[in-house]
Amino acid sequence: MNSSTQTPRFEPVTDADREVIAQQLGRPPRALRAVAARCPGGHPSVVQTNPRLENGTPFPTLYYLTCPRLTSLVGTLEASGVMKEMTERLDADPELAALYQRTHETYLAERDAIESLGTQVTAGGMPGRVKCLHVHLAHSLAAGPGVNPFGDETLEWVRAQGWPSGDCAG
């Protein structure tokens, strides 16, 4: 698959989506490939990006969280120190570590199917630590439940905080 082909399960980025994403991010979006998930109000919440920026710079984050409400909620969760606890669980739970390794491998395979960056670096600290819950939540929202254990846990947490409700893009 080349970088101009859209991933079938995701939606093409429309001009209206591009405008909303720019408002959400506070800057023009880069390397947009597809809308991978939407907020309850229909606005993009996760985009799939190309493995390289327009200027050729590697951009290994395949899924990018754009919804300001979700990014704020996840920032609050990250500030609680939960990522350190999640990383410690990887050392203590071989089953979880194996699942997280598979998460890393499938993420890498999906990105490499678009364009290989020639690196084993994926995103969010995979596979040895948990570094960025924004990436993990974006991955879970794009891929669905059961693919990313820490993304799924983050999704459970944001739902407990009242998401989804209301217009997230405002």
Side-chain angles (χ1 to χ4, degrees):
M1 181 184 312
N2 69 40
S3 62
S4 64
T5 304
Q6 292 295 318
T7 304
R9 69 178 189 261
F10 301 144
E11 300 172 27
V13 179
T14 66
D15 289 340
D17 289 333
R18 190 174 297 277
E19 287 178 34
V20 169
I21 294 164
Q23 290 173 348
Q24 291 173 322
L25 299 176
R27 63 168 172 77
R30 303 176 302 171
L32 285 181
R33 192 174 163 71
V35 175
R38 292 188 179 272
C39 288
H43 299 99
S45 60
V46 176
V47 294
Q48 183 188 50
T49 60
N50 286 310
R52 292 187 188 275
L53 298 177
E54 288 81 359
N55 68 4
T57 301
F59 191 65
T61 303
L62 184 59
Y63 299 109
Y64 200 89
L65 194 63
T66 62
C67 171
R69 180 139 182 253
L70 283 173
T71 57
S72 177
L73 286 167
V74 173
T76 299
L77 180 59
E78 286 184 343
S80 76
V82 71
M83 294 176 299
K84 182 177 187 276
E85 295 168 14
M86 289 173 164
T87 298
E88 289 169 354
R89 286 175 36 218
L90 287 173
D91 292 332
D93 185 342
E95 200 171 299
L96 178 61
L99 178 57
Y100 198 50
Q101 177 67 37
R102 283 191 301 279
T103 300
H104 164 74
E105 291 166 0
T106 58
Y107 192 102
L108 183 62
E110 188 171 351
R111 190 187 70 211
D112 283 355
I114 297 166
E115 180 182 358
S116 176
L117 295 178
T119 179
Q120 294 294 305
V121 173
T122 50
M126 291 185 272
R129 65 187 179 120
V130 181
K131 182 174 112 175
C132 177
L133 295 180
H134 295 84
V135 165
H136 293 294
L137 177 59
H139 188 204
S140 281
L141 288 170
V147 175
N148 185 321
F150 296 114
D152 291 351
E153 287 180 24
T154 303
L155 182 56
E156 286 179 33
W157 187 86
V158 298
R159 285 183 173 151
Q161 304 310 304
W163 187 87
S165 65
D167 185 4
C168 296

